[in-house]
Amino acid sequence: MKKQSLSHKIARLRSRLQEAEWRRYGALLLIGKLTGIGLLVVVMAFLNPGLLGSRVFAADPVLKGNDIVNPINTVWTLIAAFLVFGMQVGFTMLEAGFCRSRETVNVLMECIVDTCLCGILFWAFGFAFMFSHGNGFIGYHWFLLQDVPATYETSGVAFLAFWLFQFAFADTCSTITSGAMIGRTGFVGDLLYSVAVSGFIYPIVGHWAWGPDGFLATMGSAGNFLPGLGTSFHDFAGSTVVHTIGGFIALAGAIVLGPRLGRRFKRDGGGPMLPHDLTIAASGGLLLWFGWYGFNPGSTLSAMDFEGIGRVAANTTLAACAAGLIAMAVAYTKNKTWDVSFTVNGFLAGLVAITCPCYWVSPTGAILLGGIAGVIVVLGVDLLEWLRIDDPIGAVPVHGICGIWGTLSLGFFACGKYGATGPLAADNSAPLKGLFYGGGTTVLMAQAVGSAIVTVATFGVALAVMYAVNAMGLLRVSPEGESLGLDLHEHGISAYPEYVISSVASPAALVVEKTDKVVIPATQAFLATQGD
Amino acid sequence: MKKQSLSHKIARLRSRLQEAEWRRYGALLLIGKLTGIGLLVVVMAFLNPGLLGSRVFAADPVLKGNDIVNPINTVWTLIAAFLVFGMQVGFTMLEAGFCRSRETVNVLMECIVDTCLCGILFWAFGFAFMFSHGNGFIGYHWFLLQDVPATYETSGVAFLAFWLFQFAFADTCSTITSGAMIGRTGFVGDLLYSVAVSGFIYPIVGHWAWGPDGFLATMGSAGNFLPGLGTSFHDFAGSTVVHTIGGFIALAGAIVLGPRLGRRFKRDGGGPMLPHDLTIAASGGLLLWFGWYGFNPGSTLSAMDFEGIGRVAANTTLAACAAGLIAMAVAYTKNKTWDVSFTVNGFLAGLVAITCPCYWVSPTGAILLGGIAGVIVVLGVDLLEWLRIDDPIGAVPVHGICGIWGTLSLGFFACGKYGATGPLAADNSAPLKGLFYGGGTTVLMAQAVGSAIVTVATFGVALAVMYAVNAMGLLRVSPEGESLGLDLHEHGISAYPEYVISSVASPAALVVEKTDKVVIPATQAFLATQGD
Amino acid sequence: MKKQSLSHKIARLRSRLQEAEWRRYGALLLIGKLTGIGLLVVVMAFLNPGLLGSRVFAADPVLKGNDIVNPINTVWTLIAAFLVFGMQVGFTMLEAGFCRSRETVNVLMECIVDTCLCGILFWAFGFAFMFSHGNGFIGYHWFLLQDVPATYETSGVAFLAFWLFQFAFADTCSTITSGAMIGRTGFVGDLLYSVAVSGFIYPIVGHWAWGPDGFLATMGSAGNFLPGLGTSFHDFAGSTVVHTIGGFIALAGAIVLGPRLGRRFKRDGGGPMLPHDLTIAASGGLLLWFGWYGFNPGSTLSAMDFEGIGRVAANTTLAACAAGLIAMAVAYTKNKTWDVSFTVNGFLAGLVAITCPCYWVSPTGAILLGGIAGVIVVLGVDLLEWLRIDDPIGAVPVHGICGIWGTLSLGFFACGKYGATGPLAADNSAPLKGLFYGGGTTVLMAQAVGSAIVTVATFGVALAVMYAVNAMGLLRVSPEGESLGLDLHEHGISAYPEYVISSVASPAALVVEKTDKVVIPATQAFLATQGD
């Protein structure tokens, strides 16, 4: 066969297109081809997105969407969980530094044992009460982590990674409580109320707001609690769920316990007992700030919502910065000193406040609401002093009161741009808008209702628990034990057996004579116990 | 139509290929097919990735599977490496807090210098011995990190990220050793034995279990060590490789050194020397727990196995919680005090124990085996005291003995659900099943063999190294230097030049008169040296 | 040709299926089609072995490339930002530990308040000056974080995540400055110069090197600054931008302030004032090292460049290890003691030096340039002592001088393999090659020019700022306040109200009588102020 020229071929094609049989044959060929391609596309789209067009590399695995989303969201949640766990180091140092040296070992033990206890309780039933399906009041599946799915709900986060994240939150709540009860709580009493906090109060009240069917989570819609409200209760990372709960249990504990021996209040001519190590306390405060980057940004449970995690992290930072500066300034106007305790509690107050609204406000809003928290925390400390409540580290104003403020602040500052996070991306189709952005009082009302219910319920139950433990004679140590110091009384050792402790550390700290005389009660007492 | 034979069909095809019309028809068919495929490729390259259903965005890059897997696994491994490195802060604080103030600077220096030394040695040859291909006993490639591939083996982890992760592990092993040798080891001696540990003992023994061709890693299969065992030795994150090795080198060091001057043991009417700062020690212990979240979950080297990393992280937590509580309870039954040192060493013992089996056990199993570790660590401390071995921080019971328990515990608690992690996903086709789950003694035997070989080999070699350094007169400082305190003797400064140290800190700590008399040996001695 | 009805077509198809030739033709068409699809499937299965074996899961989302890249790069950058923020804990502990106890609260306050102030300034205009588009000297968009895009430039990193990362860097620079000014700077003066540093000097000078159109970033190309140089200025993570700027502002501050009262220099028969807590200082140094793993590897802004982040992390480690060992050895040859302060400042010097070249050098290069930094830092401390400049923590030699060395070292050690990082992968098409790798002096010249311009400009402006604040009488506290200690004078409290502080801590630390007499100035003075 001789080679045909291109022009000849085109001419032949043109003549054939005029013949019906050749046209039918061509159409059949085309239809068959397109059918084949269509089928192939469907099969491939079904099996695998992202097939061709990539550089060819023999060993390359083919990944489904969830093969990518689940690891990314799980890594994010796990690292956030680690950071939240790291807050235990911060709390331990903060509380240890702010207390007196004679009660330091007790603080260390409470922080560590609360963590251990919380882990076992959250494995056994705490997590089940809080995050499993049940009713609006409590969850009742997944006890002992039995029969759990691979990922939590639709988050794409491995179930046990989600468990760890939530355990770290529960642990935080439990540790907050201990801060207001430093220096006079018996260790067995601490174990008892910690079981109540980690195992029951936090998980059950928490279920209301964060459980898959909690009545505050579903509030405001048809068929649920207060259907007329028009919106549910929102608490992104726990201003209410973690901090208000922790802070108001702390308040109940401090009230039932009463103040430490020798603690005189300002209106009685006294003042707060001195901390014993501000370096440890301030470093612990900064570690808490560091760990908060797991707390708030991690609460998306989704790194796929990459704009969300960036915004939450930035808002968290700015609220803390503003609150620290404002608290320092307010304290300066009162005392004419640049007070490090108020500055630390200031930025912590900002962090607590931004914890609820961090996803829905703008950086400017974060600064404003954080700054207000910086004022509130100083006033809150004054209020407790006036009420003659001894809260050695300021747990109630920082966590309890600023938790309420943060929860309400969403009703003012929600900027109307952001709706809900999600495992694949944000869903901003129904954004939250607060009073200051023209959204009216809908969000504010829902926040007020949720905050009030949680606060009242928590405080009531916590009072009952604390009174019960107290009635068993286990909540407060004997005056003799307290005078000796909890460390020697309960734990058999001083935190610093070698250091010479000045007489300032005697129970009535500020009423000592001005003298060079050096007494070393802790060391002496220790030696006395060893000599037996 | 009758069925045609294949030879007939080929003959017909051959005859048709000689006819111009059939050839044109075949060519048309071929051209059409290729055109169709070409069109398909173009269309899909335009649409892809995210082939159908996604919004089309021109600038979107096309990613292969490994373009996604390698970054995810490398990020995971790197962050885990950072956390494991962070354990150095924890170790430094734990060891510093548990020692006496007079030997604190020495502890700081040892922790820092061990890290620096380990980095250089692991660059030069440690990593090569341990992780490169060679034989069952040692690896012998990649010295000075030369000629290394882009990723380690098939892990998808960037080679140098894997190196960093493994450096941090080696550093941990080296630091564990120093804990039992506090207070009487000369600094040059410390440098010498550290070279032996980081450069030779850890990498070579580690190669047996973790090297690509180590004889314990390949044990139990045809043609390898003990082919009849039926399974290889398993150590997910290093109960044996890191902790038993570190702990038994520590034991060898403590034995060769002998106790600190003035250290009297319980059966001689004495007891452990007092720690000097429990706040620092407990905070360091919690930082170690924090860093352990890199140690165990990071040992998957794969975040694609997202269920695996979640399970490992949760198991790690629960074992620590159970062990802390149990150790506290056991210590309470013995001493009637809530002892913070035992509680800290308790949760550390749980962490050491879960390190080997963390991937293969259930949360319930983790709690049980962790709880047992909490008993073992208290008994182990008693055993060392009875043996008159001075281990100031409890490195031997925590890391050495509980490392063995953790390794064996896999043989009891492997739950029969999980096989091996992998760069893309878990491979659970051959799950490990322990004695308590009906799997018989196969796994237990392999674990016992591996643990015994590593323990005996390490202890023997370490004894030889320590005796050799001792024979050179470099292991233990002079009695004068030890009485003055290592800090002033070796490092020319006290850790706390301003603090007044009580007489409790004199060498024979518990034998002082009960007196107000305050002596400040460290400060005085420092001034004496400055006065020259 | 007239249009045929469907029934006609079916009838024709039926009649044709009865003709052998048409049946053969149809069969051929079908076989060809199936063969083609089969071939395609085989080819694809060969290219993508995971295709056919993967489980089909209907709910799987379809992801575009950026759906994957943006989360991965944002997670990486955010976690790095958290780690860099964590450096504040390290700086706080390092500076607190290295100072005297009487000025510790002041150090804590400065570190915390610098952070808070920097956040607000960086929100308002600092970030805008530095990272927005403008001209070669300054950026002038994005003030108050208004009108910002979703991601920063082409990085794929969420804008506010990038903001947080850069805030943490700015904060670092500001904190470095305070280290050289410890013990005599009034708190209001500190606030004033901190505004200048965080709000103006760092962002504006930083824009030159890191801004999208900074004149050092675009230097060496046609139409830009010094077009003949042939290459731009490179500073991967900020040896110059963060450390030299911070270090030379610190130098200006220390010069304008003068030394602390009672500080006598070596050539006057004195020496550095003693640190008060080396445990805190060394732990803080190690925390800084930990945080540096965010600083350097995070500066890729891209985890997709997974080989890059692994290399940067490994290089960072090795430089620190080498520098720590070398500084310890050099200090030993001078003082015959194993000095912990020099060792800590040694590894920090190595970290500062590797910060600029970390992406472009080999591990071997990192060890060499780190080792040189270990020599330089000891000589630098001596130089400042000889110049009678009081830099309590060594901020000038560690950050200022080793920042310059690190910047220049790229000109020597760039290994000729690596070019630029990128949001999807590294682009090594135009690698940097230094003098020791045969690349001539091009890179070295560009580095020298950039380093010199930044150093001179920063130092000049900082001197002017410090003199201005001094002229307002706000930079240095009164001699009475300094003698009392900044803590009691400015902050109304001692860091350790309970500890008995020895007479070593009196202002002229090393000139005390050798006596047992114990004075407790801090406690006494505190009581005196309370007694008012």
Side-chain angles (χ1 to χ4, degrees):
Chain A
M1 178 187 160
K2 71 178 193 291
K3 198 171 185 304
Q4 293 179 314
S5 70
L6 182 64
S7 63
H8 186 99
K9 285 179 182 171
I10 291 174
R12 195 185 59 185
L13 179 64
R14 195 181 296 154
S15 76
R16 281 187 175 167
L17 285 176
Q18 291 168 353
E19 292 176 40
E21 193 69 14
W22 275 113
R23 280 211 301 278
R24 278 196 294 279
Y25 167 58
L28 183 71
L29 212 66
L30 195 63
I31 290 166
K33 182 102 8 204
L34 291 177
T35 309
I37 291 176
L39 271 170
L40 197 57
V41 166
V42 167
V43 167
M44 282 166 46
F46 190 68
L47 288 177
N48 169 31
L51 187 61
L52 293 177
S54 70
R55 288 164 292 165
V56 173
F57 183 52
D60 242 331
V62 173
L63 300 172
K64 299 175 296 161
N66 283 339
D67 286 342
I68 302 166
V69 170
N70 292 2
I72 289 177
N73 286 348
T74 299
V75 163
W76 175 245
T77 302
L78 265 187
I79 292 171
F82 303 163
L83 288 172
V84 179
F85 179 86
M87 291 173 73
Q88 284 304 312
V89 190
F91 271 121
T92 301
M93 292 174 72
L94 183 86
E95 297 194 8
F98 274 156
C99 75
R100 298 172 300 171
S101 67
R102 60 171 52 201
E103 59 218 17
T104 304
V105 174
N106 184 251
V107 167
L108 304 176
M109 276 300 278
E110 293 201 359
C111 288
I112 293 170
V113 173
D114 279 4
T115 297
C116 294
L117 209 54
C118 182
I120 303 298
L121 295 170
F122 226 59
W123 161 79
F125 49 78
F127 181 85
F129 287 162
M130 190 157 176
F131 287 102
S132 80
H133 290 263
N135 56 36
F137 179 75
I138 196 166
Y140 43 73
H141 295 81
W142 301 336
F143 292 105
L144 306 176
L145 296 182
Q146 297 300 301
D147 302 319
V148 301
T151 58
Y152 183 73
E153 302 287 292
T154 61
S155 64
V157 176
F159 193 90
L160 290 176
F162 179 75
W163 177 87
L164 187 73
F165 186 68
Q166 295 301 346
F167 148 72
F169 270 58
D171 190 15
T172 300
C173 182
S174 172
T175 303
I176 289 168
T177 299
S178 70
M181 301 172 69
I182 284 174
R184 68 273 203 205
T185 311
F187 192 71
V188 174
D190 178 73
L191 293 178
L192 286 176
Y193 84 73
S194 289
V195 169
V197 173
S198 301
F200 298 92
I201 302 178
Y202 173 77
I204 294 173
V205 180
H207 180 83
W208 305 350
W210 283 355
D213 43 16
F215 76 88
L216 294 173
T218 60
M219 179 176 77
S221 55
N224 290 308
F225 184 58
L226 297 181
L229 267 184
T231 186
S232 67
F233 176 64
H234 288 83
D235 188 4
F236 195 75
S239 288
T240 288
V241 174
V242 177
H243 296 284
T244 298
I245 292 181
F248 275 85
I249 303 173
L251 178 61
I255 288 174
V256 175
L257 277 170
R260 287 173 287 182
L261 287 180
R263 171 75 158 95
R264 293 194 306 166
F265 295 90
K266 272 196 185 147
R267 55 174 172 159
D268 305 318
M273 283 170 163
L274 293 181
H276 87 282
D277 192 330
L278 287 171
T279 304
I280 291 287
S283 301
L286 285 171
L287 274 175
L288 278 172
W289 187 338
F290 173 66
W292 231 287
Y293 288 122
F295 212 92
N296 288 6
S299 289
T300 57
L301 301 176
S302 164
M304 299 301 292
D305 180 7
F306 65 99
E307 293 180 59
I309 59 178
R311 183 173 67 252
V312 168
N315 284 346
T316 299
T317 306
L318 287 168
C321 290
L325 291 177
I326 296 291
M328 177 186 76
V330 173
Y332 184 82
T333 61
K334 287 164 41 92
N335 306 328
K336 303 298 169 209
T337 58
W338 305 101
D339 191 290
V340 69
S341 301
F342 273 120
T343 308
V344 170
N345 273 338
F347 72 69
L348 292 176
L351 290 166
V352 169
I354 193 65
T355 295
C356 162
C358 54
Y359 191 81
W360 297 287
V361 300
S362 69
T364 308
I367 291 173
L368 293 173
L369 74 90
I372 294 171
V375 177
I376 290 174
V377 71
V378 179
L379 301 179
V381 169
D382 283 353
L383 177 65
L384 257 74
E385 188 74 20
W386 186 82
L387 290 171
R388 294 196 180 95
I389 294 170
D390 183 19
D391 176 3
I393 67 153
V396 178
V398 171
H399 299 277
I401 300 176
C402 287
I404 293 176
W405 160 241
T407 304
L408 297 178
S409 75
L410 180 68
F412 298 108
F413 289 100
C415 72
K417 284 190 191 169
Y418 310 111
T421 189
L424 288 175
D427 171 9
N428 295 324
S429 58
L432 291 189
K433 190 179 274 191
L435 189 59
F436 295 165
Y437 289 76
T441 57
T442 306
V443 176
L444 185 58
M445 284 301 298
Q447 296 302 99
V449 167
S451 175
I453 289 175
V454 168
T455 306
V456 169
T458 300
F459 186 60
V461 173
L463 269 182
V465 168
M466 295 294 177
Y467 274 120
V469 178
N470 200 33
M472 296 159 69
L474 294 170
L475 197 63
R476 184 155 186 157
V477 294
S478 66
E480 294 72 28
E482 192 177 337
S483 296
L484 183 64
L486 279 181
D487 292 359
L488 294 173
H489 182 256
E490 297 279 84
H491 308 287
I493 194 166
S494 155
Y496 317 100
E498 298 189 6
Y499 293 174
V500 177
I501 305 298
S502 84
S503 54
V504 176
S506 65
L510 298 178
V511 209
V512 295
E513 311 91 306
K514 290 162 197 165
T515 165
D516 276 0
K517 194 176 141 238
V518 174
V519 295
I520 42 170
T523 307
Q524 282 184 304
F526 173 78
L527 292 173
T529 61
Q530 294 290 317
D532 294 344
Chain B
M1 178 184 161
K2 71 175 194 293
K3 199 170 183 306
Q4 293 180 314
S5 70
L6 182 64
S7 62
H8 186 98
K9 283 178 183 172
I10 291 174
R12 194 184 61 185
L13 179 64
R14 195 181 297 153
S15 75
R16 279 185 176 168
L17 285 177
Q18 290 168 353
E19 290 176 40
E21 194 68 14
W22 275 113
R23 278 211 303 277
R24 278 197 293 279
Y25 166 60
L28 182 71
L29 212 65
L30 195 64
I31 289 166
K33 185 116 343 220
L34 291 178
T35 309
I37 292 177
L39 270 169
L40 193 61
V41 167
V42 167
V43 166
M44 281 167 47
F46 186 71
L47 289 176
N48 187 332
L51 190 57
L52 292 178
S54 75
R55 293 162 293 166
V56 173
F57 184 51
D60 243 329
V62 173
L63 300 173
K64 299 174 297 160
N66 283 339
D67 287 341
I68 302 166
V69 170
N70 292 2
I72 289 177
N73 286 348
T74 300
V75 163
W76 176 244
T77 302
L78 266 186
I79 292 170
F82 303 163
L83 289 172
V84 179
F85 180 85
M87 290 173 73
Q88 284 303 313
V89 190
F91 272 121
T92 302
M93 293 174 71
L94 182 86
E95 297 194 6
F98 274 155
C99 75
R100 297 172 300 170
S101 68
R102 59 171 51 201
E103 58 219 17
T104 304
V105 174
N106 185 252
V107 166
L108 305 175
M109 276 300 279
E110 292 200 0
C111 289
I112 294 170
V113 173
D114 279 4
T115 299
C116 294
L117 209 54
C118 182
I120 303 298
L121 295 170
F122 226 59
W123 161 79
F125 49 78
F127 181 85
F129 287 161
M130 190 156 175
F131 288 103
S132 79
H133 290 262
N135 55 37
F137 179 75
I138 195 166
Y140 43 72
H141 295 80
W142 300 337
F143 292 105
L144 305 175
L145 295 181
Q146 298 300 301
D147 303 318
V148 301
T151 57
Y152 184 73
E153 302 287 290
T154 60
S155 65
V157 176
F159 193 90
L160 290 176
F162 180 75
W163 178 86
L164 187 74
F165 185 68
Q166 295 302 346
F167 149 72
F169 270 58
D171 190 16
T172 299
C173 181
S174 173
T175 303
I176 289 167
T177 299
S178 70
M181 300 172 69
I182 284 174
R184 69 275 204 203
T185 311
F187 192 70
V188 175
D190 178 73
L191 292 179
L192 286 176
Y193 84 70
S194 290
V195 170
V197 173
S198 302
F200 297 91
I201 302 177
Y202 173 77
I204 294 173
V205 179
H207 180 82
W208 305 350
W210 283 355
D213 42 16
F215 76 88
L216 293 174
T218 60
M219 180 176 76
S221 55
N224 290 307
F225 184 58
L226 297 180
L229 266 184
T231 185
S232 67
F233 177 64
H234 288 83
D235 187 4
F236 195 75
S239 287
T240 287
V241 173
V242 177
H243 296 283
T244 298
I245 292 181
F248 274 85
I249 302 173
L251 177 61
I255 288 173
V256 175
L257 276 170
R260 287 172 287 181
L261 288 180
R263 171 75 157 93
R264 292 195 306 168
F265 295 90
K266 274 196 185 148
R267 55 173 170 157
D268 305 317
M273 283 170 162
L274 292 181
H276 87 282
D277 192 330
L278 287 170
T279 305
I280 291 287
S283 302
L286 285 170
L287 274 176
L288 279 172
W289 187 339
F290 173 66
W292 230 289
Y293 288 122
F295 212 92
N296 287 7
S299 290
T300 58
L301 301 176
S302 164
M304 299 300 292
D305 181 6
F306 66 99
E307 292 180 58
I309 58 178
R311 182 174 67 251
V312 169
N315 284 346
T316 299
T317 305
L318 288 168
C321 291
L325 291 178
I326 295 292
M328 178 186 75
V330 173
Y332 184 82
T333 60
K334 287 164 38 94
N335 306 328
K336 302 298 168 211
T337 59
W338 305 100
D339 190 291
V340 70
S341 301
F342 273 119
T343 309
V344 171
N345 274 338
F347 72 69
L348 292 176
L351 290 165
V352 169
I354 193 66
T355 296
C356 161
C358 54
Y359 191 81
W360 296 287
V361 300
S362 70
T364 308
I367 291 173
L368 293 173
L369 72 90
I372 294 171
V375 177
I376 291 174
V377 71
V378 179
L379 300 179
V381 169
D382 282 353
L383 176 65
L384 257 74
E385 189 74 19
W386 187 81
L387 291 171
R388 294 196 180 95
I389 295 171
D390 183 18
D391 176 2
I393 67 155
V396 178
V398 172
H399 299 278
I401 300 175
C402 287
I404 293 176
W405 160 241
T407 303
L408 297 179
S409 75
L410 180 67
F412 298 108
F413 289 100
C415 72
K417 284 190 192 170
Y418 311 110
T421 188
L424 290 174
D427 172 9
N428 295 324
S429 58
L432 291 188
K433 190 180 275 191
L435 188 60
F436 294 165
Y437 288 76
T441 57
T442 306
V443 175
L444 185 58
M445 282 302 297
Q447 296 303 99
V449 167
S451 176
I453 289 175
V454 168
T455 305
V456 170
T458 300
F459 186 60
V461 173
L463 269 182
V465 167
M466 294 294 177
Y467 274 121
V469 177
N470 200 35
M472 297 158 70
L474 293 169
L475 198 64
R476 183 152 186 160
V477 293
S478 65
E480 295 72 28
E482 192 177 336
S483 296
L484 184 64
L486 278 181
D487 292 358
L488 294 173
H489 181 257
E490 297 279 83
H491 308 287
I493 194 167
S494 153
Y496 316 100
E498 298 189 5
Y499 293 174
V500 177
I501 304 300
S502 82
S503 53
V504 177
S506 64
L510 297 179
V511 208
V512 295
E513 310 91 307
K514 290 163 196 163
T515 164
D516 275 359
K517 194 176 141 237
V518 173
V519 294
I520 43 170
T523 308
Q524 281 184 304
F526 173 78
L527 292 174
T529 62
Q530 294 289 316
D532 296 342
Chain C
M1 179 188 160
K2 70 177 194 292
K3 200 171 183 306
Q4 292 181 313
S5 69
L6 182 63
S7 62
H8 185 98
K9 285 178 183 172
I10 290 173
R12 194 186 58 186
L13 179 64
R14 196 181 296 153
S15 75
R16 281 188 175 168
L17 285 176
Q18 292 168 351
E19 291 176 40
E21 193 68 14
W22 274 113
R23 280 210 303 275
R24 276 196 295 278
Y25 167 58
L28 183 71
L29 210 66
L30 195 63
I31 289 166
K33 183 105 1 208
L34 290 178
T35 308
I37 291 176
L39 270 170
L40 198 58
V41 167
V42 168
V43 166
M44 283 165 46
F46 185 72
L47 293 178
N48 285 309
L51 181 63
L52 296 176
S54 74
R55 292 161 295 165
V56 173
F57 185 50
D60 244 329
V62 173
L63 300 173
K64 299 175 297 160
N66 283 339
D67 287 341
I68 302 165
V69 170
N70 293 1
I72 289 177
N73 286 347
T74 300
V75 163
W76 175 244
T77 301
L78 266 186
I79 292 170
F82 304 163
L83 289 172
V84 180
F85 179 85
M87 290 173 74
Q88 285 303 313
V89 189
F91 272 121
T92 302
M93 291 175 73
L94 182 86
E95 297 194 7
F98 274 155
C99 75
R100 297 172 300 172
S101 68
R102 59 171 53 200
E103 59 219 17
T104 304
V105 175
N106 185 252
V107 166
L108 304 175
M109 276 299 278
E110 292 201 0
C111 288
I112 294 170
V113 174
D114 279 4
T115 298
C116 294
L117 209 53
C118 182
I120 303 299
L121 295 171
F122 226 60
W123 162 77
F125 49 79
F127 181 85
F129 287 161
M130 190 155 176
F131 288 102
S132 80
H133 290 264
N135 55 37
F137 180 76
I138 196 167
Y140 43 73
H141 295 82
W142 301 335
F143 293 104
L144 305 175
L145 295 181
Q146 298 299 302
D147 302 319
V148 301
T151 58
Y152 184 73
E153 303 287 291
T154 59
S155 64
V157 176
F159 193 90
L160 290 176
F162 179 75
W163 177 87
L164 186 74
F165 186 68
Q166 295 300 344
F167 148 73
F169 270 58
D171 190 15
T172 299
C173 182
S174 173
T175 302
I176 289 167
T177 299
S178 70
M181 301 172 69
I182 284 174
R184 69 274 204 204
T185 310
F187 192 71
V188 176
D190 178 73
L191 293 177
L192 287 177
Y193 83 72
S194 289
V195 170
V197 173
S198 300
F200 297 92
I201 301 178
Y202 173 77
I204 295 173
V205 179
H207 180 82
W208 305 349
W210 284 355
D213 43 15
F215 76 89
L216 293 173
T218 61
M219 182 176 75
S221 55
N224 290 309
F225 184 58
L226 297 180
L229 267 185
T231 186
S232 67
F233 177 65
H234 288 83
D235 187 5
F236 195 75
S239 288
T240 288
V241 173
V242 176
H243 296 282
T244 298
I245 291 181
F248 275 85
I249 302 174
L251 178 61
I255 289 174
V256 174
L257 277 170
R260 287 173 286 181
L261 288 180
R263 172 74 156 94
R264 292 194 308 164
F265 295 90
K266 273 197 185 146
R267 54 174 172 158
D268 306 318
M273 284 169 161
L274 293 181
H276 87 282
D277 192 330
L278 287 170
T279 304
I280 291 286
S283 302
L286 286 170
L287 274 175
L288 279 172
W289 187 339
F290 173 65
W292 231 288
Y293 288 121
F295 212 91
N296 288 6
S299 289
T300 57
L301 301 176
S302 164
M304 299 300 292
D305 180 6
F306 65 99
E307 293 181 57
I309 59 179
R311 183 173 65 251
V312 168
N315 284 345
T316 299
T317 305
L318 287 169
C321 291
L325 290 178
I326 296 290
M328 178 187 74
V330 173
Y332 184 80
T333 61
K334 286 165 39 91
N335 306 328
K336 303 297 168 213
T337 59
W338 305 100
D339 190 291
V340 70
S341 302
F342 273 119
T343 308
V344 171
N345 274 338
F347 72 67
L348 292 176
L351 289 165
V352 169
I354 194 66
T355 295
C356 161
C358 54
Y359 190 80
W360 297 288
V361 300
S362 69
T364 308
I367 290 173
L368 293 174
L369 73 90
I372 295 171
V375 177
I376 290 175
V377 71
V378 179
L379 300 179
V381 168
D382 282 353
L383 177 66
L384 257 75
E385 189 74 19
W386 186 82
L387 290 171
R388 295 196 178 95
I389 294 170
D390 183 19
D391 176 2
I393 67 153
V396 178
V398 171
H399 300 278
I401 300 176
C402 287
I404 293 177
W405 161 241
T407 305
L408 297 179
S409 74
L410 180 66
F412 297 109
F413 288 99
C415 71
K417 285 190 192 168
Y418 311 112
T421 187
L424 289 175
D427 172 8
N428 295 324
S429 58
L432 291 189
K433 191 180 275 191
L435 189 60
F436 294 166
Y437 289 75
T441 58
T442 305
V443 176
L444 185 58
M445 283 300 299
Q447 296 304 97
V449 166
S451 174
I453 289 176
V454 167
T455 305
V456 170
T458 299
F459 186 60
V461 172
L463 268 182
V465 167
M466 294 294 177
Y467 274 119
V469 177
N470 200 34
M472 297 159 70
L474 294 169
L475 198 64
R476 183 153 187 158
V477 294
S478 65
E480 294 73 28
E482 193 176 336
S483 296
L484 184 63
L486 278 180
D487 292 359
L488 294 173
H489 182 256
E490 297 279 83
H491 308 288
I493 194 166
S494 154
Y496 316 100
E498 298 189 5
Y499 293 174
V500 177
I501 306 298
S502 82
S503 54
V504 177
S506 65
L510 299 178
V511 209
V512 295
E513 311 91 306
K514 291 163 196 163
T515 164
D516 275 359
K517 194 176 141 237
V518 173
V519 296
I520 43 170
T523 308
Q524 281 184 305
F526 173 79
L527 292 173
T529 62
Q530 295 289 318
D532 295 343

